Amino acid sequence: MQETRALALTFEVSGLPPVRTEALSIFAAGHRQATRVRALLAAACAAAQRTGWTALTGPVEIDLTLRSPPGHRTSDASTLLGGICAVLADKKRIATIGLAHLGVLVDVALYTDDRQIRRLSYTEEPAAEFSYQVRVAELPPVV
């Protein structure tokens, strides 16, 4: 039987990515990043459903391309990548804060947890409006 599971998933999101800048979870109900979190989860969910993606359990790489108007950079790369990675990982491990407000989006996970990340990349490109592209890919297992 041939494996047909996608090994990489790439998708676009309008607006700004969620950022991780404080100890308070970006998943907390009413958090100031809530709109950005939901937009990222909805885009990831649509891409995963389109391709039949299942959450990766082995090593992964994550690429983020931020598009923004020249001179309008919003955050540093580490807070942007931190927010993206937190949102795309499995959220069941943080269920103690209550995630019911996310509805079905709580189940969106492109990989299990951040310990799987072996490679990160961040690129900025000029654009008229804010948007970003995320790529999550499976890496060969480390021997």
Side-chain angles (χ1 to χ4, degrees):
M1 184 169 165
Q2 183 178 7
E3 170 109 18
T4 58
R5 187 170 67 85
L7 301 178
L9 184 68
T10 303
F11 57 94
E12 302 278 334
V13 186
S14 295
L16 290 166
V19 294
R20 210 168 166 181
T21 59
E22 57 190 296
L24 179 65
S25 172
I26 62 176
F27 297 110
H31 191 281
R32 61 191 174 104
Q33 296 292 311
T35 302
R36 295 179 187 185
V37 167
R38 292 184 75 76
L40 176 55
L41 286 172
C45 181
Q49 288 176 338
R50 232 181 1 262
T51 62
W53 183 267
T54 57
L56 298 174
T57 57
V60 301
E61 70 176 329
I62 299 174
D63 304 318
L64 171 61
T65 301
L66 177 68
R67 295 183 191 95
S68 62
H72 288 86
R73 187 169 191 218
T74 62
S75 296
D76 60 80
S78 64
T79 58
L80 292 166
L81 285 164
I84 296 284
C85 293
V87 172
L88 297 180
D90 190 340
K91 285 151 283 307
K92 290 177 184 66
R93 60 188 163 70
I94 57 163
T96 56
I97 67 165
L99 301 174
H101 62 281
L102 292 175
V104 297
L105 294 176
V106 74
D107 293 324
V108 176
L110 301 187
Y111 60 97
T112 306
D113 67 44
D114 290 349
R115 289 176 285 199
Q116 295 170 249
I117 300 171
R118 299 293 184 270
R119 195 177 303 150
L120 286 169
S121 75
Y122 173 78
T123 306
E124 291 183 10
E125 296 178 352
E129 301 289 328
F130 286 106
S131 68
Y132 58 103
Q133 179 184 70
V134 177
R135 179 179 174 274
V136 177
E138 181 177 54
L139 291 173
V142 178
V143 184

Short mmCIF file of all heavy atoms in Angstrom, two decimals, residues 87-132:
data_model
loop_
_atom_site.label_atom_id
_atom_site.label_comp_id
_atom_site.label_asym_id
_atom_site.label_seq_id
_atom_site.Cartn_x
_atom_site.Cartn_y
_atom_site.Cartn_z
N VAL A 87 0.22 28.11 18.14
CA VAL A 87 -1.12 27.90 17.58
C VAL A 87 -1.21 26.62 16.77
O VAL A 87 -2.22 25.91 16.82
CB VAL A 87 -1.54 29.12 16.73
CG1 VAL A 87 -2.84 28.85 15.97
CG2 VAL A 87 -1.69 30.34 17.62
N LEU A 88 -0.15 26.27 16.05
CA LEU A 88 -0.22 25.11 15.15
C LEU A 88 0.06 23.77 15.83
O LEU A 88 -0.21 22.72 15.27
CB LEU A 88 0.73 25.31 13.97
CG LEU A 88 0.39 26.50 13.07
CD1 LEU A 88 1.39 26.60 11.94
CD2 LEU A 88 -1.03 26.42 12.56
N ALA A 89 0.57 23.80 17.05
CA ALA A 89 0.81 22.56 17.79
C ALA A 89 -0.50 22.05 18.39
O ALA A 89 -1.50 22.78 18.45
CB ALA A 89 1.83 22.81 18.90
N ASP A 90 -0.49 20.81 18.84
CA ASP A 90 -1.65 20.21 19.48
C ASP A 90 -1.95 20.96 20.78
O ASP A 90 -1.08 21.14 21.62
CB ASP A 90 -1.35 18.74 19.78
CG ASP A 90 -2.56 17.97 20.23
OD1 ASP A 90 -3.54 18.59 20.69
OD2 ASP A 90 -2.53 16.73 20.13
N LYS A 91 -3.19 21.40 20.94
CA LYS A 91 -3.57 22.19 22.09
C LYS A 91 -4.12 21.37 23.26
O LYS A 91 -4.41 21.90 24.31
CB LYS A 91 -4.59 23.26 21.67
CG LYS A 91 -3.93 24.39 20.91
CD LYS A 91 -4.81 25.07 19.92
CE LYS A 91 -5.06 24.37 18.63
NZ LYS A 91 -3.92 23.93 17.84
N LYS A 92 -4.21 20.08 23.09
CA LYS A 92 -4.77 19.24 24.16
C LYS A 92 -3.91 19.29 25.43
O LYS A 92 -4.40 19.13 26.52
CB LYS A 92 -4.94 17.81 23.67
CG LYS A 92 -6.04 17.68 22.63
CD LYS A 92 -6.13 16.25 22.12
CE LYS A 92 -7.14 16.11 21.03
NZ LYS A 92 -6.79 16.82 19.79
N ARG A 93 -2.62 19.56 25.28
CA ARG A 93 -1.73 19.61 26.43
C ARG A 93 -1.94 20.84 27.30
O ARG A 93 -1.47 20.90 28.41
CB ARG A 93 -0.28 19.53 25.96
CG ARG A 93 0.12 20.67 25.05
CD ARG A 93 1.50 20.48 24.44
NE ARG A 93 1.70 21.33 23.29
CZ ARG A 93 1.84 22.65 23.34
NH1 ARG A 93 1.81 23.27 24.47
NH2 ARG A 93 2.02 23.34 22.23
N ILE A 94 -2.65 21.85 26.77
CA ILE A 94 -2.91 23.06 27.55
C ILE A 94 -4.39 23.22 27.87
O ILE A 94 -4.84 24.31 28.17
CB ILE A 94 -2.39 24.31 26.82
CG1 ILE A 94 -3.02 24.42 25.44
CG2 ILE A 94 -0.89 24.33 26.74
CD1 ILE A 94 -2.91 25.78 24.82
N ALA A 95 -5.13 22.16 27.83
CA ALA A 95 -6.58 22.20 28.02
C ALA A 95 -6.98 22.74 29.39
O ALA A 95 -8.14 23.08 29.60
CB ALA A 95 -7.18 20.83 27.77
N THR A 96 -6.05 22.84 30.32
CA THR A 96 -6.39 23.31 31.66
C THR A 96 -6.85 24.76 31.67
O THR A 96 -7.50 25.18 32.62
CB THR A 96 -5.18 23.16 32.61
OG1 THR A 96 -4.08 23.86 32.04
CG2 THR A 96 -4.82 21.70 32.83
N ILE A 97 -6.54 25.55 30.65
CA ILE A 97 -6.97 26.95 30.64
C ILE A 97 -8.37 27.11 30.07
O ILE A 97 -8.93 28.19 30.10
CB ILE A 97 -5.99 27.86 29.87
CG1 ILE A 97 -5.99 27.52 28.37
CG2 ILE A 97 -4.63 27.84 30.47
CD1 ILE A 97 -5.34 28.57 27.52
N GLY A 98 -8.95 26.06 29.53
CA GLY A 98 -10.28 26.13 28.95
C GLY A 98 -10.23 26.65 27.52
O GLY A 98 -9.88 27.81 27.29
N LEU A 99 -10.54 25.79 26.58
CA LEU A 99 -10.44 26.15 25.17
C LEU A 99 -11.78 26.04 24.44
O LEU A 99 -11.82 26.11 23.22
CB LEU A 99 -9.41 25.24 24.49
CG LEU A 99 -7.99 25.30 25.07
CD1 LEU A 99 -7.10 24.25 24.41
CD2 LEU A 99 -7.40 26.68 24.92
N ALA A 100 -12.87 25.92 25.18
CA ALA A 100 -14.18 25.74 24.56
C ALA A 100 -14.54 26.90 23.63
O ALA A 100 -15.24 26.70 22.64
CB ALA A 100 -15.25 25.58 25.64
N HIS A 101 -14.03 28.09 23.92
CA HIS A 101 -14.34 29.25 23.09
C HIS A 101 -13.79 29.13 21.66
O HIS A 101 -14.22 29.82 20.77
CB HIS A 101 -13.81 30.54 23.74
CG HIS A 101 -12.33 30.56 23.90
ND1 HIS A 101 -11.69 29.88 24.91
CD2 HIS A 101 -11.37 31.15 23.17
CE1 HIS A 101 -10.39 30.06 24.79
NE2 HIS A 101 -10.16 30.82 23.74
N LEU A 102 -12.84 28.20 21.44
CA LEU A 102 -12.30 27.98 20.10
C LEU A 102 -13.20 27.08 19.24
O LEU A 102 -12.99 26.98 18.04
CB LEU A 102 -10.90 27.37 20.17
CG LEU A 102 -9.80 28.27 20.73
CD1 LEU A 102 -8.50 27.50 20.86
CD2 LEU A 102 -9.61 29.50 19.85
N GLY A 103 -14.16 26.43 19.87
CA GLY A 103 -15.05 25.54 19.12
C GLY A 103 -14.27 24.43 18.45
O GLY A 103 -13.32 23.90 19.01
N VAL A 104 -14.63 24.11 17.20
CA VAL A 104 -13.97 23.02 16.48
C VAL A 104 -12.51 23.33 16.16
O VAL A 104 -11.72 22.42 15.90
CB VAL A 104 -14.72 22.64 15.18
CG1 VAL A 104 -16.11 22.13 15.49
CG2 VAL A 104 -14.77 23.81 14.22
N LEU A 105 -12.13 24.60 16.20
CA LEU A 105 -10.74 24.97 15.88
C LEU A 105 -9.75 24.45 16.93
O LEU A 105 -8.56 24.38 16.67
CB LEU A 105 -10.61 26.49 15.74
CG LEU A 105 -11.35 27.11 14.56
CD1 LEU A 105 -11.23 28.63 14.58
CD2 LEU A 105 -10.85 26.54 13.23
N VAL A 106 -10.24 24.08 18.10
CA VAL A 106 -9.36 23.55 19.14
C VAL A 106 -8.66 22.27 18.66
O VAL A 106 -7.55 21.95 19.10
CB VAL A 106 -10.12 23.30 20.46
CG1 VAL A 106 -11.02 22.07 20.37
CG2 VAL A 106 -9.16 23.17 21.62
N ASP A 107 -9.27 21.56 17.73
CA ASP A 107 -8.70 20.30 17.24
C ASP A 107 -7.69 20.49 16.10
O ASP A 107 -7.09 19.50 15.66
CB ASP A 107 -9.83 19.37 16.76
CG ASP A 107 -10.69 18.91 17.92
OD1 ASP A 107 -10.14 18.69 19.03
OD2 ASP A 107 -11.91 18.78 17.73
N VAL A 108 -7.49 21.70 15.63
CA VAL A 108 -6.54 21.94 14.55
C VAL A 108 -5.12 21.84 15.11
O VAL A 108 -4.73 22.60 15.99
CB VAL A 108 -6.74 23.32 13.90
CG1 VAL A 108 -5.68 23.58 12.84
CG2 VAL A 108 -8.14 23.42 13.30
N ALA A 109 -4.37 20.87 14.60
CA ALA A 109 -2.97 20.67 15.00
C ALA A 109 -2.22 20.14 13.79
O ALA A 109 -2.60 19.13 13.22
CB ALA A 109 -2.87 19.69 16.16
N LEU A 110 -1.14 20.83 13.42
CA LEU A 110 -0.34 20.37 12.28
C LEU A 110 0.81 19.48 12.73
O LEU A 110 1.39 18.78 11.92
CB LEU A 110 0.17 21.56 11.48
CG LEU A 110 -0.92 22.48 10.92
CD1 LEU A 110 -0.31 23.52 10.00
CD2 LEU A 110 -2.02 21.70 10.21
N TYR A 111 1.14 19.54 14.02
CA TYR A 111 2.15 18.67 14.62
C TYR A 111 1.84 18.58 16.11
O TYR A 111 0.95 19.29 16.61
CB TYR A 111 3.57 19.17 14.34
CG TYR A 111 3.86 20.55 14.87
CD1 TYR A 111 4.50 20.72 16.09
CD2 TYR A 111 3.51 21.67 14.15
CE1 TYR A 111 4.75 21.98 16.59
CE2 TYR A 111 3.77 22.93 14.64
CZ TYR A 111 4.39 23.08 15.86
OH TYR A 111 4.64 24.33 16.35
N THR A 112 2.53 17.71 16.83
CA THR A 112 2.20 17.47 18.22
C THR A 112 2.69 18.57 19.15
O THR A 112 1.90 19.17 19.87
CB THR A 112 2.75 16.10 18.69
OG1 THR A 112 2.28 15.09 17.78
CG2 THR A 112 2.29 15.77 20.08
N ASP A 113 3.99 18.83 19.18
CA ASP A 113 4.49 19.90 20.05
C ASP A 113 5.82 20.45 19.56
O ASP A 113 6.45 19.90 18.66
CB ASP A 113 4.56 19.47 21.52
CG ASP A 113 5.59 18.41 21.81
OD1 ASP A 113 6.73 18.50 21.31
OD2 ASP A 113 5.28 17.48 22.56
N ASP A 114 6.24 21.54 20.18
CA ASP A 114 7.43 22.27 19.73
C ASP A 114 8.73 21.47 19.82
O ASP A 114 9.71 21.81 19.17
CB ASP A 114 7.59 23.56 20.52
CG ASP A 114 6.53 24.59 20.18
OD1 ASP A 114 5.80 24.39 19.18
OD2 ASP A 114 6.44 25.59 20.90
N ARG A 115 8.75 20.42 20.60
CA ARG A 115 9.96 19.59 20.68
C ARG A 115 10.28 18.92 19.36
O ARG A 115 11.40 18.46 19.15
CB ARG A 115 9.83 18.55 21.80
CG ARG A 115 9.89 19.18 23.18
CD ARG A 115 9.67 18.15 24.23
NE ARG A 115 8.24 17.84 24.20
CZ ARG A 115 7.58 17.27 25.17
NH1 ARG A 115 8.21 16.87 26.24
NH2 ARG A 115 6.30 17.06 25.09
N GLN A 116 9.33 18.86 18.46
CA GLN A 116 9.54 18.25 17.14
C GLN A 116 10.26 19.18 16.17
O GLN A 116 10.77 18.74 15.15
CB GLN A 116 8.19 17.87 16.52
CG GLN A 116 7.44 16.81 17.25
CD GLN A 116 6.04 16.70 16.69
OE1 GLN A 116 5.09 17.05 17.36
NE2 GLN A 116 5.92 16.25 15.45
N ILE A 117 10.26 20.46 16.45
CA ILE A 117 10.82 21.44 15.51
C ILE A 117 12.33 21.30 15.45
O ILE A 117 13.02 21.43 16.47
CB ILE A 117 10.42 22.87 15.90
CG1 ILE A 117 8.90 23.02 15.89
CG2 ILE A 117 11.07 23.87 14.94
CD1 ILE A 117 8.40 24.33 16.45
N ARG A 118 12.83 21.07 14.26
CA ARG A 118 14.28 20.94 14.02
C ARG A 118 14.82 22.08 13.18
O ARG A 118 16.01 22.34 13.15
CB ARG A 118 14.60 19.62 13.31
CG ARG A 118 14.21 18.38 14.08
CD ARG A 118 15.07 18.24 15.34
NE ARG A 118 14.78 17.00 16.04
CZ ARG A 118 13.85 16.88 16.98
NH1 ARG A 118 13.11 17.91 17.32
NH2 ARG A 118 13.66 15.73 17.58
N ARG A 119 13.91 22.76 12.47
CA ARG A 119 14.35 23.84 11.58
C ARG A 119 13.25 24.91 11.51
O ARG A 119 12.08 24.58 11.32
CB ARG A 119 14.60 23.26 10.19
CG ARG A 119 15.38 24.15 9.27
CD ARG A 119 15.66 23.49 7.93
NE ARG A 119 16.37 22.23 8.10
CZ ARG A 119 16.25 21.20 7.26
NH1 ARG A 119 15.47 21.26 6.21
NH2 ARG A 119 16.94 20.09 7.46
N LEU A 120 13.65 26.18 11.68
CA LEU A 120 12.74 27.31 11.56
C LEU A 120 13.32 28.29 10.54
O LEU A 120 14.54 28.49 10.51
CB LEU A 120 12.61 28.07 12.88
CG LEU A 120 11.81 27.44 14.00
CD1 LEU A 120 12.02 28.21 15.29
CD2 LEU A 120 10.34 27.41 13.65
N SER A 121 12.47 28.91 9.76
CA SER A 121 12.96 29.99 8.90
C SER A 121 11.95 31.12 8.91
O SER A 121 10.74 30.91 9.08
CB SER A 121 13.22 29.50 7.47
OG SER A 121 12.02 29.31 6.78
N TYR A 122 12.48 32.33 8.75
CA TYR A 122 11.66 33.54 8.77
C TYR A 122 12.15 34.45 7.65
O TYR A 122 13.34 34.72 7.52
CB TYR A 122 11.80 34.24 10.12
CG TYR A 122 11.12 35.58 10.17
CD1 TYR A 122 9.75 35.68 10.33
CD2 TYR A 122 11.85 36.76 10.05
CE1 TYR A 122 9.12 36.91 10.38
CE2 TYR A 122 11.23 38.00 10.10
CZ TYR A 122 9.86 38.06 10.27
OH TYR A 122 9.24 39.28 10.31
N THR A 123 11.22 34.92 6.84
CA THR A 123 11.53 35.81 5.73
C THR A 123 10.53 36.96 5.74
O THR A 123 9.35 36.75 6.06
CB THR A 123 11.42 35.06 4.38
OG1 THR A 123 12.23 33.88 4.44
CG2 THR A 123 11.83 35.92 3.22
N GLU A 124 11.00 38.14 5.39
CA GLU A 124 10.10 39.29 5.22
C GLU A 124 10.09 39.70 3.76
O GLU A 124 11.13 39.67 3.10
CB GLU A 124 10.58 40.47 6.06
CG GLU A 124 10.43 40.26 7.54
CD GLU A 124 10.84 41.49 8.33
OE1 GLU A 124 11.07 42.56 7.74
OE2 GLU A 124 10.94 41.36 9.56
N GLU A 125 8.91 40.06 3.27
CA GLU A 125 8.75 40.54 1.91
C GLU A 125 7.88 41.79 1.92
O GLU A 125 6.93 41.86 2.70
CB GLU A 125 8.08 39.48 1.03
CG GLU A 125 8.87 38.22 0.86
CD GLU A 125 8.14 37.17 0.02
OE1 GLU A 125 6.95 37.36 -0.30
OE2 GLU A 125 8.78 36.16 -0.30
N PRO A 126 8.19 42.76 1.05
CA PRO A 126 7.34 43.96 0.97
C PRO A 126 6.00 43.63 0.30
O PRO A 126 5.93 42.80 -0.61
CB PRO A 126 8.16 44.92 0.12
CG PRO A 126 9.07 44.06 -0.68
CD PRO A 126 9.33 42.82 0.15
N ALA A 127 4.95 44.28 0.76
CA ALA A 127 3.62 44.10 0.18
C ALA A 127 2.75 45.31 0.55
O ALA A 127 3.08 46.05 1.47
CB ALA A 127 2.98 42.82 0.71
N ALA A 128 1.67 45.48 -0.16
CA ALA A 128 0.76 46.59 0.11
C ALA A 128 -0.03 46.37 1.41
O ALA A 128 -0.35 47.31 2.13
CB ALA A 128 -0.20 46.78 -1.06
N GLU A 129 -0.34 45.11 1.71
CA GLU A 129 -1.14 44.76 2.89
C GLU A 129 -0.42 43.68 3.70
O GLU A 129 0.36 42.91 3.16
CB GLU A 129 -2.51 44.20 2.45
CG GLU A 129 -3.34 45.15 1.62
CD GLU A 129 -3.89 46.31 2.43
OE1 GLU A 129 -4.17 46.12 3.63
OE2 GLU A 129 -4.01 47.40 1.86
N PHE A 130 -0.75 43.59 4.97
CA PHE A 130 -0.18 42.55 5.82
C PHE A 130 -0.79 41.19 5.46
O PHE A 130 -2.00 41.06 5.29
CB PHE A 130 -0.48 42.82 7.30
CG PHE A 130 0.34 43.91 7.89
CD1 PHE A 130 -0.22 45.15 8.15
CD2 PHE A 130 1.68 43.71 8.20
CE1 PHE A 130 0.54 46.17 8.70
CE2 PHE A 130 2.45 44.72 8.75
CZ PHE A 130 1.87 45.96 9.00
N SER A 131 0.07 40.19 5.35
CA SER A 131 -0.34 38.80 5.18
C SER A 131 0.87 37.95 5.49
O SER A 131 1.97 38.46 5.66
CB SER A 131 -0.85 38.51 3.76
OG SER A 131 0.20 38.59 2.82
N TYR A 132 0.66 36.65 5.57
CA TYR A 132 1.78 35.76 5.80
C TYR A 132 1.50 34.38 5.24
O TYR A 132 0.35 34.00 5.02
CB TYR A 132 2.16 35.69 7.28
CG TYR A 132 1.09 35.23 8.24
CD1 TYR A 132 1.08 33.94 8.75
CD2 TYR A 132 0.09 36.10 8.68
CE1 TYR A 132 0.12 33.53 9.65
CE2 TYR A 132 -0.87 35.70 9.58
CZ TYR A 132 -0.85 34.41 10.07
OH TYR A 132 -1.81 34.00 10.97
#
